[in-house]
Amino acid sequence: MSVKVSDRLDYYLSRTKSPPQIFLTLHDTIPLLIETFENIKSACEEGKLDHESQKRLSKTVDGCVRLTRQLEAFLDDCLPAPTDSFTQKTKKAIKSIRSEKALGEIQRTLETYKSTLTLYFTHFVMASPVADQIEAPSQGFYFEVPAMNVQHFVGRQQLLERMETLFEDDKDTEARTKVVVLRGMGGCGKTQLALEHCRKQRSKSSVFWVDATSSGTAFRSFEDIGSVLAPGSNFPNPEAARTFVLKAFESFTDPFLLVFDNYDQPGEFTTVKDFFPHRANIIFTSRHVDTKRLGKSLEIGAMPVEEAVELLLLQAGLEKTDENVEYAKAITDKLGGLALAIDQAATYISARHVPLASFIDVYAKRKAAILKHTPTHWEYRKTVSDEAEQSFSVFTTWEMSFEQLEGTEAERQSIIHLLTLGAFIDTNNVGEGLFSLYSRSPDRPQWLEAFMTDGEWDSDQYQDSVVRLLSVSLVTSIDLMSEDARFSFHPLIAEWLKLRIDSKARAEYTEEAIAVVRAFVDNGDKVEMPIRYKGETLSHMDKIIEHDQAYAATGKKHVSDALKEASISFGSFYRRLGRYHETQNLIERAMGDEDVSPAVRNVLANMYCDQGELEKAEKLYDKVLAGLGKSPPKKDPDYKLQGTNLAFIYWTQDDKLREDGLAYEGAYKGDFHQFDPWFGMSVLPCAA
């Protein structure tokens, strides 16, 4: 009967371009139900299912038969047959659409029955003793580990010793499973560290490896383990393989190690503990923060300098000379000590015969090519779906992290925009205040709505988003307890974020970063900014100017229009904190364009005044007045210019002065206020 239903669905789907989804689902369900019935029938014929067990299953089987008959009647009524007329086919097509709800209920009930039958078959039919089926390994212990070891595993001795210690700390609980989680960002070397630990355990215990990318890959790994333990076994379904392997593990008298690699999506694979044996040492590798709850967590970060240098030189096939060591230190520092990135750089150096002395310059020009480079025989491979496996680079592993972000598509895109924008400022301290102030802009961008509630900034939503980034290891640290919640992330991730977008987008992100930091600086003019924020803001401005020169300034322009508009705010901020070199550099670049405003020149004049270079200041003040259509007052040629008598202009963004102004009081004869062009505001001396 089920076979007849399956054939009917095959005929219908082969002749229909866009069938309702329920028929596709039924088409997948019925063959599995048929397979389950055949397995149970074989078990009965072989005497594996006694009379009492058959009696227990009879109600479920009767229910399947009843529903299958009901389904057959539905399909006869709503699916066209080869002999139907055109009118009959049309009527049935309409009925098929109207029957979706009823068919859906039948499908869900059949799925429940199938699961019950499969579970019963697995636990009772496959429950026979497995000890006699297990074939002992040819030498010593089982060692079922993928061939992904790098050619030269370097150092990390402290981490390996720490792993040993974490397992040994539980000596009083030898009868239970012990779990150590290796957690860190993609590319930090978690899998290679687990492989090296496996290699060291090879002579002491059996070792098995599970691809924990998803429940599907884990089931397939258990099927592979089952075929090793009992060669020639044929498991009727994945659940049967899992049950067999766990029972086989129970028969082990010697200790053994089980590795769950790439458990990066715990929210998708929530049943991972169903794969735990009752007694074993277990290692997880994961980038997801929630995996800490599985056992004792060991954070994997950047490689120590000496180990990073050794890895680069070994993988590149270069001698460890003093000169090479110095070059290698600069290269590994540039790569942030990230193991995978260092390995990729080494293979690039080796393949292209790039001299170490030239690599930094080559890297500056070809970052994307180097960080995407994978050789033909590459040890770093990862399952990217239930079937496919591919070589991966630091770029691909971080793209996977984006795919693993939780939330709606709109929320995910807003979080990605937030992190990408963070790549255009200082990545060491990205504070919430930057974005909360930016959200008050009259032309607030749409992506910020993900962090707003009823038009107001919502700290909880923002901080939840930062936690999501931490959960997939795209940020390295967060501080949600301080007044201004902040996060930081690896500089190489910042490079990747900039390289994954095109040049137009890089210019747009640079301009938006300018707007974000400018809003923060301008607010700091109105309220006293804490010292800590001043230092962080300076770092953000330094990065912005660097990115403006690289991505936004075009043609003959020395700075982008966005930075030119912000140069008054940024230049004045630099100046007030004594960063005169940066003030001069920024303003002179802005002044290189012909359409620069008088206010920009005024910032530089104020700086000269601070430094006591009064003649330079005076000349610029004269140009400021000229730009405003004003004439400077006549001077007494016998009067000596003094810093305490020369005041400065403080200009705001809307071209109005909050503080006075140009003042030659004392430097010029006569009453200052008759020359005051700024509405009689108070005068501040240069020393202020």
Side-chain angles (χ1 to χ4, degrees), residues 466-483:
V466 173
V467 169
R468 290 184 206 177
L469 288 169
L470 179 68
S471 71
V472 294
S473 298
L474 283 171
V475 301
T476 51
S477 65
I478 61 174
D479 177 8
L480 304 183
M481 303 306 294
S482 61
E483 182 181 351

Side-chain angles (χ1 to χ4, degrees), residues 621 645-649 660-665 667-668 672 678 683-684:
Y621 284 142
N645 295 328
L646 189 62
F648 65 88
I649 300 174
D660 188 63
L662 178 64
Y664 290 95
E665 186 176 24
Y668 300 102
F672 163 74
W678 313 124
V683 179
L684 297 178

